Amino acid sequence: NSGNTTVDASWTLSVYNYTKSVLAGEYDETTKTLMKDMLVYASAAHTYFENTETVAEKLAQIKALLGDYAAALPTGEAKKPASNTYFTDVAVYLGEVPSFRFYLAEGYTAADFSFKVGKRAATVVEGEGYVEIVMYAYMMLDDVTFTVKGTDGAETYNLYSYYEYAKTLNDANLTAIVEGLMKYAMSAKAYRDSVVNK
């Protein structure tokens, strides 16, 4: 609304179009790298979840836009709980926000644990039979530590551990999406640090 004039308009937004704008604009390399890695991850996700047919044209455009771009894969020590005393399994869940799902062993509930991501208290969501630790992209390479009420010490899980597990399954698409997530996480952290430290 502007004075006596009302205009109806619609916009079509997409990460692809925004990335094109950023890459063509006067943005720093940290921002451009973030956008490239986001597209790499998105492409791997479409392939892994088998919805490439509905976005085949967009995936071709992404490939043309990125060319031979390939970020280095971050490296780190794989960490996971020493036993399945408290959890029967831990997995990566790719929902609206990436997360780790700790599947509870019999007799345990979310109230039995305290979780941290790095040095921060974790956002915990209790599901049916599992505890979900919400991980934003910039946090995905951080260690998730947990303590059990009434016990001493802490145990740790991280994405590097899931990556080592994924490689044993001989599923190229699964490996690609995890690698894409790792690269996206690294550039998201670099971007966040650059913004926070300004």
Side-chain angles (χ1 to χ4, degrees):
N1 293 312
S2 177
N4 295 322
T5 303
T6 300
V7 177
D8 291 328
S10 63
W11 288 264
T12 300
L13 306 175
S14 73
V15 172
Y16 170 76
N17 286 333
Y18 184 67
T19 300
K20 277 183 67 176
S21 174
V22 168
L23 297 183
E26 295 182 7
Y27 294 86
D28 59 48
E29 284 306 310
T30 301
T31 303
K32 291 183 177 183
T33 299
L34 170 65
M35 299 309 298
K36 290 176 187 177
D37 287 333
M38 192 184 300
L39 281 187
V40 169
Y41 170 58
S43 297
H46 279 298
T47 301
Y48 179 74
F49 291 112
E50 299 181 344
N51 57 357
T52 52
E53 289 182 14
T54 59
V55 292
E57 182 180 347
K58 190 62 68 185
L59 292 176
Q61 291 173 339
I62 290 171
K63 188 172 182 181
L65 178 66
L66 297 180
D68 59 358
Y69 171 76
L73 186 67
T75 57
E77 179 187 355
K79 299 175 185 177
K80 64 179 183 179
S83 71
N84 60 357
T85 301
Y86 307 115
F87 305 106
T88 59
D89 195 12
V90 186
V92 175
Y93 176 70
L94 301 177
E96 291 180 12
V97 178
S99 62
F100 290 131
R101 280 189 175 176
F102 290 76
Y103 290 89
L104 298 162
E106 188 174 346
Y108 290 96
T109 68
D112 294 315
F113 304 94
S114 176
F115 289 91
K116 284 188 176 181
V117 178
K119 296 179 181 178
R120 303 174 297 275
T123 301
V124 179
V125 178
E126 187 170 10
E128 191 170 329
Y130 64 83
V131 176
E132 189 166 291
I133 310 304
V134 176
M135 306 283 289
Y136 295 101
Y138 70 89
M139 299 163 56
M140 281 304 296
L141 295 176
D142 291 345
D143 290 344
V144 175
T145 57
F146 67 89
T147 55
V148 184
K149 289 183 179 177
T151 66
D152 295 325
E155 294 199 60
T156 306
Y157 186 80
N158 62 23
L159 188 59
Y160 297 109
S161 177
Y162 186 81
Y163 179 54
E164 291 304 316
Y165 162 74
K167 289 191 294 185
T168 68
L169 301 179
N170 297 315
D171 181 340
N173 291 338
L174 175 61
T175 302
I177 192 174
V178 177
E179 290 180 349
L181 179 59
M182 293 169 74
K183 294 174 184 180
Y184 174 37
M186 184 170 63
S187 59
K189 185 177 188 312
Y191 174 77
R192 182 177 186 275
D193 289 346
S194 73
V195 172
V196 169
N197 294 328
K198 281 186 178 178

